[in-house]
Amino acid sequence: MADLVTARRSLQLADDGWAVDILDQTALPHTTEVRRLTTLADATEAIRCMRVRGAPLIGALAAYGLCLALRDDPSDAGLAAAVAAVTKTRPTAVNLVAAVDRVARVVRLCPPAERAAAAYAETAAICDEDVHINQAIGEHGLTVLEGLARGSDPVQVLTHCNAGWLATVGGGTALAPVYAAVAAGVPVHVWVSETRPRSQGLLTSWELSQADVPHTVIVDNAAGRLIQQGRVDVVLVGTDRTTAGGDVCNKIGTYLRALAARDNGIPFYACVPGPSIDWHTPPGAIPIEERDPEEVRIVPGTLPDGRPGAVRVLAETSHVANPAFDVTPARLVTGLITERGVSPATADALRARYPERAG
Amino acid sequence: MADLVTARRSLQLADDGWAVDILDQTALPHTTEVRRLTTLADATEAIRCMRVRGAPLIGALAAYGLCLALRDDPSDAGLAAAVAAVTKTRPTAVNLVAAVDRVARVVRLCPPAERAAAAYAETAAICDEDVHINQAIGEHGLTVLEGLARGSDPVQVLTHCNAGWLATVGGGTALAPVYAAVAAGVPVHVWVSETRPRSQGLLTSWELSQADVPHTVIVDNAAGRLIQQGRVDVVLVGTDRTTAGGDVCNKIGTYLRALAARDNGIPFYACVPGPSIDWHTPPGAIPIEERDPEEVRIVPGTLPDGRPGAVRVLAETSHVANPAFDVTPARLVTGLITERGVSPATADALRARYPERAG
């Protein structure tokens, strides 16, 4: 149990070498629960219910879902069914489709008896890459934060949602530069948006508390005023999908923060792993997940008796809209912090960083 | 009980002619509770705890607070103490200070024995004026909505917080044009922001449900995307204080909606009663209330057993910032819908509408 938390790992292979242990993020920050996933159905349920969330992490778990499925049925039909089941869990994060495609492509070249092993090997490679990508984003992001540092005053970072180690296999995307700054002795303070309706800001607050990083939680509405008051030096967010032109699809509310950053002349950076770049889909065609209205009607928390629970704040009859993501246009993005350095949010600059994807 | 709801009255004199009955807004939307206020302490508690909220309404209740105090002690010292007690309850809405000053000015001219009666008379005048102001704002706002109407498609209004009849003595400010549109047969649909941390969007949803006005609740983060998608025709908000230059201080998060409106070329109007205009204070000097961190840590709702209750979503040790208002600069405001018509958000235009305040 404590192992995952101590190691800052959101997911890992179980000791048996094939089951997958995850930190159940629907139980956090109230309780630390590790869940063992042993079937494709376990994996798809964990993604759909957001026991595991964050674009890089759901990519990794989707890949593990194929591994678990291929242990049971390594036939072509089994593979196709598994790919279909995993792909339909959540539509917006492009990492999921990218990871599934990558594993499926390798597996199809193998005879059925070798497919599960090949899938585990390719999934391990995806996970290792995510760890390295996170680390590189941390280093490039650290350069950005160092550029904003002024002596002993902390660099004031505002983030949205959770893009820390809970959202990735490695050390996070938007929080990687923060952790790198702390390690490098650059003083930093993080403003944490609550991030309704799922309140992933509480996950960020939990992560930062674990690492003793100074931070302050605010409701989503307060981001604009803090920026207006000059109390924020830089906005750092993750991404679920960034287009070839640099438009950043991320947690609902990100666009509002980008507008406030622009209006007040502070930089807005998205931390973008290569696998989160969608080289083909234009921003208007990104599928934006519409989630269950109950997320808006009901609020998770701890009941008066101390048990984790939920309260209804809105009657079942109330109409609710619940889009989970928005798209921040490239014109509002100061830069994309990728594992290959900080890139302007333009098609030319991105192509220059990823020449193998050009054309 | 039902009387206040049926009559759409947030506050009224009790049958005895001196106590004040309020609809307790901390119990809404879960339960309808009327509370009788009989002392100055009752009134200040109701304002501080937000049993009564909304700039025009707290102005009216502050005035009634003086009335109740003067029944007990009509001396100069009693008056001064009452003014001080009421004034310090909440700092941002200028209506409170304006109403208190107005009543105190009249009362000081009277001998002690006549002061309570004079205070009640002046407070009644303030309340009557609010009713008329609300009605005129509704009529001028209706003209704005009619200008946006396209046949049978509903005009899509986005509002923030609650600026309906619950927030005023009369029929509301930002919702007055909506109610006027419904009465005039102009189809309208309202997007209701949840408005964390106090969730006054639930009050707006309750008000609109009572009046059968079609509406949809969203989390605060979703406002930008809806506007970006062209699903909003106009943003209508109230104000706690608008400067002589047209800067609009209102519920935290208003500024973010104004930015999104501007970025997407849709109009942003504040509905501004004359008494909410502060002719002297520059926008940077408006006192912005910082409220209890518990509002962010704890979420109100209905417990699983059906009782209204609260859940803690964040540990007591977490640092929290909780500013209650922000200031939308005049440059982002399409117009101010006042009881004297729709005014550009400029000092010259406002002075022309209120020549008696000029200079």
Side-chain angles (χ1 to χ4, degrees):
Chain A
M1 287 247 179
D3 290 349
L4 280 169
V5 173
T6 309
R8 295 196 196 181
R9 297 272 292 175
S10 50
L11 157 159
Q12 68 186 12
L13 267 188
D15 292 339
D16 61 20
W18 66 270
V20 182
D21 287 341
I22 60 161
L23 205 50
D24 185 344
Q25 300 192 29
T26 60
L28 289 174
H30 308 290
T31 52
T32 306
E33 284 177 31
V34 174
R35 208 177 169 92
R36 179 152 298 179
L37 313 179
T38 60
T39 65
L40 170 65
D42 287 350
T44 55
E45 192 267 355
I47 296 171
R48 198 179 309 109
C49 299
M50 296 177 67
R51 298 187 196 284
V52 150
R53 24 79 37 214
L57 187 60
I58 66 179
L61 185 56
Y64 273 126
L66 294 195
C67 300
L68 294 170
L70 290 166
R71 276 174 56 90
D72 288 337
D73 178 359
S75 70
D76 283 359
L79 175 62
V83 166
V86 168
T87 305
K88 76 178 181 198
T89 50
R90 297 195 68 195
T92 303
V94 75
N95 309 59
L96 190 153
V97 178
V100 167
D101 284 353
R102 179 170 159 180
V103 172
R105 202 178 314 119
V106 169
V107 160
R108 278 192 201 98
L109 303 175
C110 304
E114 294 167 22
R115 284 181 169 177
Y120 275 101
E122 193 65 21
T123 300
I126 289 171
C127 290
D128 285 349
E129 280 176 32
D130 192 53
V131 171
H132 288 112
I133 286 170
N134 291 178
Q135 193 170 354
I137 287 175
E139 285 160 17
H140 296 303
L142 171 59
T143 311
V144 170
L145 297 186
E146 282 172 336
L148 295 164
R150 292 146 315 194
S152 60
D153 284 348
V155 179
Q156 299 285 344
V157 175
L158 183 130
T159 191
H160 188 50
C161 197
N162 171 267
W165 63 262
L166 284 170
T168 63
V169 182
T173 56
L175 293 187
V178 168
Y179 292 130
V182 170
V186 177
V188 65
H189 169 266
V190 184
W191 296 101
V192 177
S193 290
E194 180 181 39
T195 318
R196 280 280 287 148
R198 297 285 303 208
S199 302
Q200 292 96 331
L202 307 193
L203 299 178
T204 295
S205 172
W206 179 82
E207 256 201 62
L208 295 174
S209 295
Q210 295 283 320
D212 285 327
V213 180
H215 65 281
T216 304
V217 179
I218 55 169
V219 295
D220 299 305
N221 282 322
R225 174 160 176 83
L226 289 174
I227 293 173
Q228 219 178 11
Q229 287 184 296
R231 296 167 74 186
V232 178
D233 296 317
V234 60
V235 180
L236 288 184
V237 298
T239 183
D240 294 83
R241 185 187 298 229
T242 287
T243 69
D247 306 283
V248 176
C249 178
N250 191 46
K251 178 57 52 195
I252 193 81
T254 300
Y255 167 56
L256 292 171
R257 281 146 189 78
L259 286 171
R262 173 59 51 94
D263 196 47
N264 293 280
I266 68 159
F268 173 96
Y269 289 96
C271 296
V272 182
S276 297
I277 303 173
D278 180 341
W279 297 95
H280 306 294
T281 310
I286 296 175
I288 300 293
E289 182 176 8
E290 178 76 25
R291 290 188 60 86
D292 191 337
E294 288 302 283
E295 292 185 352
V296 179
R297 295 196 188 112
I298 284 187
V299 176
T302 308
L303 299 179
D305 62 8
R307 285 177 303 130
V311 283
R312 176 174 289 280
V313 290
L314 207 55
E316 216 166 307
T317 49
S318 299
H319 284 281
V320 165
N322 189 19
F325 304 94
D326 60 25
V327 180
T328 298
R331 65 184 155 82
L332 299 177
V333 178
T334 308
L336 306 172
I337 305 178
T338 77
E339 71 278 15
R340 299 189 186 176
V342 182
S343 170
T346 65
D348 287 351
L350 272 175
R351 269 200 301 266
R353 298 254 163 207
Y354 295 88
E356 76 278 19
R357 304 303 302 256
Chain B
M1 288 246 177
D3 289 349
L4 280 169
V5 174
T6 309
R8 296 195 196 180
R9 297 273 291 176
S10 51
L11 157 158
Q12 67 185 11
L13 268 189
D15 291 339
D16 61 19
W18 66 271
V20 182
D21 287 341
I22 60 161
L23 205 51
D24 185 344
Q25 300 192 29
T26 61
L28 288 175
H30 308 290
T31 51
T32 306
E33 284 177 30
V34 174
R35 208 176 168 92
R36 178 153 298 180
L37 313 179
T38 60
T39 64
L40 170 66
D42 287 349
T44 56
E45 192 268 354
I47 295 172
R48 197 180 309 108
C49 299
M50 295 176 68
R51 299 187 196 284
V52 149
R53 24 80 34 216
L57 187 60
I58 66 179
L61 184 56
Y64 273 126
L66 294 195
C67 299
L68 295 170
L70 290 166
R71 276 175 57 91
D72 289 337
D73 178 359
S75 70
D76 284 358
L79 175 63
V83 167
V86 168
T87 304
K88 76 178 180 197
T89 50
R90 296 196 66 195
T92 303
V94 75
N95 310 59
L96 190 152
V97 178
V100 168
D101 284 354
R102 180 169 158 180
V103 172
R105 203 177 315 121
V106 169
V107 161
R108 278 192 201 100
L109 303 175
C110 304
E114 293 167 22
R115 283 180 170 177
Y120 276 100
E122 194 65 21
T123 300
I126 289 171
C127 290
D128 285 349
E129 279 175 32
D130 192 52
V131 171
H132 288 112
I133 285 170
N134 292 178
Q135 192 170 353
I137 286 175
E139 285 159 17
H140 296 303
L142 171 59
T143 310
V144 170
L145 298 186
E146 282 172 336
L148 295 164
R150 294 145 316 197
S152 60
D153 284 349
V155 179
Q156 299 285 345
V157 175
L158 183 131
T159 191
H160 187 51
C161 197
N162 171 268
W165 63 260
L166 283 171
T168 63
V169 182
T173 56
L175 294 188
V178 169
Y179 292 130
V182 169
V186 177
V188 64
H189 169 267
V190 183
W191 295 100
V192 177
S193 290
E194 178 181 39
T195 317
R196 281 279 287 148
R198 297 285 303 209
S199 302
Q200 292 95 331
L202 308 194
L203 300 178
T204 295
S205 172
W206 179 82
E207 255 201 63
L208 295 175
S209 296
Q210 295 284 319
D212 284 328
V213 180
H215 65 282
T216 303
V217 179
I218 55 169
V219 295
D220 299 305
N221 283 322
R225 174 157 176 84
L226 289 174
I227 293 173
Q228 220 178 9
Q229 287 184 296
R231 297 168 74 186
V232 177
D233 296 317
V234 60
V235 180
L236 288 184
V237 298
T239 183
D240 294 83
R241 186 188 298 228
T242 287
T243 69
D247 306 284
V248 176
C249 177
N250 191 46
K251 180 55 52 193
I252 191 81
T254 301
Y255 167 56
L256 293 171
R257 281 145 189 80
L259 286 171
R262 173 58 51 97
D263 197 47
N264 293 280
I266 67 159
F268 173 96
Y269 288 97
C271 296
V272 182
S276 296
I277 304 173
D278 180 342
W279 297 94
H280 307 294
T281 310
I286 296 174
I288 300 292
E289 182 176 8
E290 178 75 25
R291 290 188 60 87
D292 190 337
E294 289 301 282
E295 292 185 352
V296 180
R297 296 194 188 112
I298 284 187
V299 176
T302 308
L303 300 179
D305 63 6
R307 285 177 304 128
V311 284
R312 175 173 290 280
V313 290
L314 207 55
E316 215 166 310
T317 50
S318 299
H319 284 282
V320 166
N322 188 20
F325 303 94
D326 61 25
V327 180
T328 297
R331 66 184 154 82
L332 299 176
V333 179
T334 308
L336 306 172
I337 304 177
T338 77
E339 72 277 15
R340 298 189 187 176
V342 182
S343 169
T346 66
D348 286 350
L350 272 176
R351 268 200 301 266
R353 298 252 166 211
Y354 295 89
E356 77 277 18
R357 305 303 303 259

